[in-house]
Amino acid sequence: MQLQLPTDVLRRMRCHLIKAGSREIGGILMGEEIGDQVFQIVDFSVDASSGTRAQFVRDADQHDEALSAFFERTGGEFGRFNYLGEWHSHPSFSVLPSLQDMHAMQDLVDGSGGVDFAVLFISRLKWHWRFECSAHLFVRGHSPSAASVTRVKSEI
Ligand SMILES: [Zn+2]
């Protein structure tokens, strides 16, 4: 799977990472399916208050609202624009998912929430400026796999 990261999304995420400093922040990713196994991050929600230095657990209600607003904006074209997964920052660690991250994501796709697949996107600013990220794909009944992240120019 390939994940496209537009420059405007990257810029916004970078601003949030700077503001959060050494606290973990995160939320959900909203995306567009643009080809076979190719998805683009269109938007993301941010919970800037729940995280600590080493952990982030998101507030479900706040992100449900963000997703509803996204559906409204994209005209309810669920086949094309939909929930893509979860993201959070690792300000003090590498961007690779922790064991706890892996388990949480596997539980999400194997659970009863109706999510068959989800991306886990982890980002950080190394030395306070260099944007680093990783993406992993979790599919119900399958082992996780790494996804490639490609930076693309925003269309707007
Ligand atoms: Zn993590």
Side-chain angles (χ1 to χ4, degrees), residues 1 3 14 16 21 56-57 63 90 95 108 132 136 144 153:
M1 177 197 187
L3 191 64
R14 176 190 284 272
H16 287 291
F56 176 78
V57 181
H63 299 285
H90 277 184
V95 292
L108 179 73
E132 290 184 338
H136 286 79
K153 277 217 171 106

Side-chain angles (χ1 to χ4, degrees), residues 72-107:
E72 233 165 76
R73 239 180 17 254
T74 52
E77 270 189 79
F78 308 119
R80 196 172 146 207
F81 296 98
N82 214 322
Y83 166 84
L84 185 58
E86 308 282 324
W87 80 276
H88 65 263
S89 64
H90 277 184
S92 321
F93 310 97
S94 100
V95 292
L96 290 176
S98 67
L99 209 55
Q100 195 187 359
D101 290 336
M102 300 289 262
H103 287 149
M105 290 303 293
Q106 205 63 54
D107 285 350

Side-chain angles (χ1 to χ4, degrees), residues 31-134:
E32 178 182 1
E33 184 172 5
I34 56 176
D36 185 31
Q37 293 293 304
V38 185
F39 290 82
Q40 181 159 314
I41 300 175
V42 176
D43 202 359
F44 60 91
S45 68
V46 190
D47 179 344
S49 58
S50 303
T52 64
R53 264 184 71 86
Q55 201 190 0
F56 176 78
V57 181
R58 70 179 170 85
D59 167 9
D61 290 344
Q62 191 187 337
H63 299 285
D64 284 350
E65 271 173 41
L67 191 58
S68 303
F70 177 69
F71 286 151
E72 233 165 76
R73 239 180 17 254
T74 52
E77 270 189 79
F78 308 119
R80 196 172 146 207
F81 296 98
N82 214 322
Y83 166 84
L84 185 58
E86 308 282 324
W87 80 276
H88 65 263
S89 64
H90 277 184
S92 321
F93 310 97
S94 100
V95 292
L96 290 176
S98 67
L99 209 55
Q100 195 187 359
D101 290 336
M102 300 289 262
H103 287 149
M105 290 303 293
Q106 205 63 54
D107 285 350
L108 179 73
V109 293
D110 288 338
S112 55
V115 176
D116 294 335
F117 81 96
V119 169
L120 173 63
F121 184 83
I122 300 176
S123 58
R124 77 181 291 204
L125 288 180
K126 199 172 184 181
W127 305 308
H128 304 288
W129 64 274
R130 198 178 129 188
F131 187 89
E132 290 184 338
C133 61
S134 77

